[in-house]
Amino acid sequence: MREWRKANPLKGEQRARANARSYLKVYVRRGKVTKGPCVVCGAADVLARIRDYAKPLDVVWLCRTHHRAHHALAP
C-alpha cells in the first residue's frame, strides 16, 4: 500500500477526509473524545459521522444502520 500510495497520492477532498479520520482516531485513542451512543437509537456500537472535515472533532455518533441510512439520504 505504501508503494502504491506514492504513485497515487490523495488529492483535495480525499486528503481532507483521511486527515479528519486520523485526527479523530488519535483523540479517541487518547481519551480526549469519547464515543457516545447512537443519537437515533442509543446503540453502543457506533461509527463517527464527521459533519465538516475542517472540524474533525465535531462528530455525530451513529450505529452502522443509521450511518448507512444517513449516507443514502445525503446528496
Side-chain angles (χ1 to χ4, degrees):
M1 182 66 181
R2 287 182 184 169
E3 293 300 319
W4 184 85
R5 183 56 68 207
K6 288 177 187 177
N8 302 285
L10 295 175
K11 296 181 179 99
E13 175 106 4
Q14 291 176 329
R15 179 171 286 293
R17 289 171 53 188
N19 287 345
R21 284 191 299 264
S22 294
Y23 195 79
L24 178 62
K25 186 176 180 178
V26 167
Y27 270 67
V28 169
R29 192 174 40 212
R30 290 181 181 174
K32 303 237 181 211
V33 173
T34 57
K35 291 184 179 183
C38 176
V39 296
V40 179
C41 67
D45 188 21
V46 292
L47 302 170
R49 172 68 178 118
I50 302 173
R51 297 178 189 181
D52 181 6
Y53 298 123
K55 301 174 189 171
L57 302 180
D58 182 22
V59 297
V60 174
W61 299 102
L62 297 168
C63 66
R64 182 172 298 277
T65 304
H66 291 114
H67 193 104
R68 285 184 178 176
H70 177 75
H71 280 286
L73 295 174

